[in-house]
Amino acid sequence: MADQTHAEMSNTKKKTAEDEEDVVSTAIGEFGRWQLLMTFLLSLFNIPCTWHIFVPTFHAAERETWCARPERFLSVHPDRWKNFTQPQGFCSIYDLTNVTVDDLPHLGDDPARKLISCAEWEFEGKGNTLISEFDLVCDRKTLNNVSEMMFLGGVAIGGLVCGILSDKYGRKKTLMASVFFQTLLGVIIAFAPWFQMYFILRAALGFISVSVVFSGFVLSIELVGGNWRTVAGISYLFPVSLSYITIAGMGWLLRDWRQLQLAISLPGLIFLILWWVLPESPRWLLAMGRTNEVMTILQKAANYNGRELPVNIDKQLLPNENDTETESVNVMDLFKTRQMRKKTLLLFVIWFSVYLVYYGLVLNLGNIGGDLYINSILSGAVEIPAVALSILILLKGGRRWPLALTMMLSGVACGCAMPIGLVRDDLQWLITTLAMMSRFSISSSNAIMPVFTAELYPTIIRNIGVGASNVSAGIALMLVPYLWNLADMHQSIPMSILAGCGIVGGACVLFLPETGSKPLKDTIREEECEASEIKRMNNNS
């Protein structure tokens, strides 16, 4: 009798979630012109965010470097200067005391001539990079990695904080506030007079940028219903590929890092206008019990979609007395039940793995060989079909298996690329091809993962769940700048790590439940009821 009563309660809770999903979908449709416009506008927020993440690749682009020529040697061609004066690279140079231009070819003939450390450097090409302006070479070379680690550390913390703020104050307010501060910080960075100021501001920028991405993503999937959640969630990432291609073009045209920084920052001002266009999430407002605001949004959406609201929609939106959950939530709620703990810990591993592989390839394009600008364009180009294919796969094959397989395939491609450079020196094209295959697969994983994660958590803590998962992703991002430094120990280590993460992360996905096109849960109570139902069924079996 107790089991029957419990089952009925569980069914009632499940029905409540489905009914609420139907209320919004019945009122404005699962997907219409209004949802298309809103999700399209939200996806565009990815463009400046991706620019800010990827721009250090061009800010600190490697250039031919040599110890600076004293004034009396400025007439000497750089190639001749390097060959005669710097036998061990540009960190040291022969002592040139009492040396004339005619003496240069004979410097190496004197065994007593000392090598001294370079104090200044010259760099090939026009415009300043971070490396050339702040002399990030030799014993200062690691400072560039520290700078990038600061940014990615900001990303790690910002994902969690923005999740808490978004679930407490709303998706729209968090999104637009973050866009404002992202634009402001981006412009200030372009005028940073010291490198220390640059990387402190970059850390703050990372903190803010991840808030833009996640708030916009969660708002997108909460504006649509049914299978359109999959389409909206994946399509949200389409502008990312455009971002890689466009910043490669801007980086090629604007060789000065300050000009490039301004070029990627100022467009953020345009997005502030959307405050008067974008709505708050009806699902979040409903979970908060703010039904009057929900009615206003649904009325506008229904009018735009050419639909009539149901006559009794206002009554359907009234919260169930026994089901309203507006109390404060926090990170600890992610570990409240056994099922929630299992989901959260597995997602930590999966997000870590996806981000390490994805950004391990994206932010180290210069380390896989070939031209940086061409590799950047190719990297963006492979992302377009990867994201498009992800939509088709998810609609037909669910979430769990596609995510697991794409992660594993990415790891296998990295594993296949690993031994080639050890065996042959003339197969760079094959290494690049396998790297792009891995990039294709992990791009698909990166598109599927946020949708899957968002569907695994109820509305009341959805942003907290996605943000908490981002903490482990942020740890992976902090390791990315140092990943290819491990090649100094052995050439195969970086690709081996990427291969292992792809395969292990993919295996972890198989321990999570499928979400498919099931209705989104809205409260922790619904999650607890489902967990109790699963436990009861397992005990009966």
Side-chain angles (χ1 to χ4, degrees):
M1 184 68 176
D3 284 346
Q4 183 180 354
T5 304
H6 186 81
E8 288 174 357
M9 289 177 63
S10 298
N11 289 334
T12 301
K13 294 298 179 184
K14 188 172 182 180
K15 184 175 182 301
T16 301
E18 292 171 352
D19 287 347
E20 187 171 289
E21 179 83 9
D22 289 338
V23 169
V24 177
S25 298
T26 301
I28 62 176
E30 290 184 348
F31 194 83
R33 288 191 304 160
W34 182 78
Q35 288 97 327
L36 175 63
L37 176 62
M38 295 302 124
T39 53
F40 171 73
L41 292 175
L42 286 167
S43 71
L44 297 180
F45 283 84
N46 275 299
I47 294 177
C49 287
T50 306
W51 285 346
H52 284 299
I53 291 172
F54 196 44
V55 76
T57 304
F58 303 100
H59 275 178
E62 294 285 347
R63 292 185 180 178
E64 190 69 28
T65 309
W66 55 88
C67 291
R69 293 165 293 177
E71 189 173 349
R72 67 181 187 276
F73 293 114
L74 289 178
S75 61
V76 180
H77 191 276
D79 287 339
R80 187 166 178 260
W81 171 255
K82 288 182 290 183
N83 291 337
F84 292 149
T85 64
Q86 299 158 47
Q88 296 181 8
F90 57 78
C91 289
S92 59
I93 187 173
Y94 282 127
D95 185 352
L96 299 176
T97 304
N98 299 323
V99 173
T100 65
V101 172
D102 294 334
D103 296 330
L104 292 180
H106 309 292
L107 290 177
D109 297 337
D110 183 0
R113 188 168 297 278
K114 296 179 181 179
L115 285 169
I116 58 175
S117 297
C118 291
E120 296 180 359
W121 292 265
E122 293 180 55
F123 301 86
E124 186 183 35
K126 297 180 180 179
N128 277 328
T129 65
L130 284 175
I131 293 175
S132 64
E133 181 167 339
F134 298 113
D135 290 337
L136 304 182
V137 293
C138 302
D139 58 341
R140 288 172 55 85
K141 185 176 182 179
T142 57
L143 290 178
N144 188 50
N145 284 342
V146 172
S147 166
E148 197 51 21
M149 189 181 73
M150 292 282 286
F151 174 84
L152 300 172
V155 169
I157 301 170
L160 178 59
V161 174
C162 101
I164 295 171
L165 293 176
S166 183
D167 282 334
K168 185 173 182 179
Y169 298 108
R171 292 27 170 158
K172 179 181 174 180
K173 287 181 180 178
T174 306
L175 172 64
M176 300 310 295
S178 299
V179 170
F180 171 77
F181 286 111
Q182 181 188 59
T183 305
L184 181 63
L185 286 169
V187 171
I188 295 174
I189 286 172
F191 297 96
W194 314 290
F195 186 68
Q196 291 84 347
M197 181 178 178
Y198 170 87
F199 69 66
I200 290 172
L201 290 172
R202 281 282 297 171
L205 184 64
F207 182 94
I208 294 297
S209 293
V210 70
S211 179
V212 176
V213 174
F214 285 163
S215 297
F217 168 75
V218 172
L219 180 53
S220 287
I221 66 170
E222 289 182 348
L223 292 177
V224 300
N227 285 332
W228 288 103
R229 288 205 312 268
T230 300
V231 178
I234 301 296
S235 299
Y236 181 76
L237 297 176
F238 267 121
V240 171
S241 54
L242 178 64
S243 304
Y244 291 128
I245 295 171
T246 51
I247 197 171
M250 288 190 290
W252 187 79
L253 290 171
L254 303 173
R255 298 302 177 102
D256 187 275
W257 77 270
R258 294 184 185 274
Q259 294 177 5
L260 180 58
Q261 180 64 32
L262 276 176
I264 66 172
S265 300
L266 291 175
L269 295 171
I270 300 172
F271 290 94
L272 296 176
I273 301 171
L274 296 180
W275 171 265
W276 291 275
V277 178
L278 295 172
E280 183 53 89
S281 164
R283 291 191 63 82
W284 178 80
L285 290 171
L286 210 52
M288 296 292 106
R290 294 159 60 175
T291 54
N292 290 338
E293 294 173 64
V294 177
M295 274 296 300
T296 302
I297 294 171
L298 294 185
Q299 185 64 64
K300 290 180 181 178
N303 291 341
Y304 199 85
N305 284 343
R307 299 171 64 100
E308 290 289 337
L309 288 178
V311 177
N312 61 342
I313 184 67
D314 53 339
K315 295 179 181 177
Q316 295 178 46
L317 292 176
L318 290 176
N320 188 316
E321 230 174 60
N322 299 319
D323 198 45
T324 303
E325 182 173 4
T326 58
E327 70 268 16
S328 297
V329 292
N330 55 58
V331 177
M332 296 312 297
D333 287 309
L334 299 177
F335 305 91
K336 198 166 186 178
T337 68
R338 181 180 178 183
Q339 287 297 318
M340 288 277 279
R341 284 193 296 274
K342 178 182 174 183
K343 289 177 184 179
T344 300
L345 294 175
L346 286 171
L347 286 169
F348 283 175
V349 176
I350 294 164
W351 278 66
F352 178 92
S353 301
V354 169
Y355 268 58
L356 190 70
V357 179
Y358 183 87
Y359 286 103
L361 293 172
V362 168
L363 298 180
N364 287 284
L365 290 175
N367 291 310
I368 65 174
D371 183 84
L372 171 62
Y373 300 96
I374 293 175
N375 284 348
S376 299
I377 293 172
L378 287 175
S379 181
V382 300
E383 186 127 353
I384 297 173
V387 173
L389 184 62
S390 298
I391 296 176
L392 297 176
I393 292 174
L394 287 181
L395 290 176
K396 298 294 183 181
R399 278 70 162 140
R400 193 169 66 117
W401 276 104
L403 178 57
L405 291 176
T406 51
M407 288 184 70
M408 290 180 182
L409 285 173
S410 180
V412 170
C414 286
C416 292
M418 178 181 61
I420 294 174
L422 303 176
V423 178
R424 297 276 296 273
D425 295 329
D426 58 343
L427 293 176
Q428 179 57 50
W429 65 271
L430 183 56
I431 295 174
T432 301
T433 300
L434 287 169
M436 290 304 159
M437 287 176 60
S438 178
R439 176 81 168 78
F440 177 91
S441 295
I442 204 64
S443 293
S444 183
S445 304
N446 190 48
I448 298 168
M449 181 179 66
V451 175
F452 190 33
T453 303
E455 291 178 346
L456 285 168
Y457 288 112
T459 300
I460 200 76
I461 57 167
R462 182 164 298 125
N463 249 23
I464 293 179
V466 175
S469 300
N470 184 68
V471 173
S472 65
I475 294 172
L477 287 171
M478 292 171 69
L479 298 177
V480 165
Y482 299 95
L483 180 64
W484 250 262
N485 290 355
L486 297 175
D488 295 338
M489 298 171 61
H490 195 277
Q491 185 180 343
S492 64
I493 291 179
M495 278 297 193
S496 299
I497 292 174
L498 297 183
C501 284
I503 294 170
V504 171
C508 287
V509 176
L510 299 178
F511 292 94
L512 290 169
E514 179 60 78
T515 56
S517 297
K518 297 176 183 177
L520 294 176
K521 296 181 185 66
D522 290 316
T523 65
I524 297 174
R525 193 173 293 113
E526 291 172 24
E527 185 76 23
E528 291 173 337
C529 288
E530 183 186 63
S532 298
E533 183 66 16
I534 292 172
K535 183 178 180 180
R536 187 189 67 81
M537 291 175 64
N538 290 338
N539 290 337
N540 289 342
S541 61

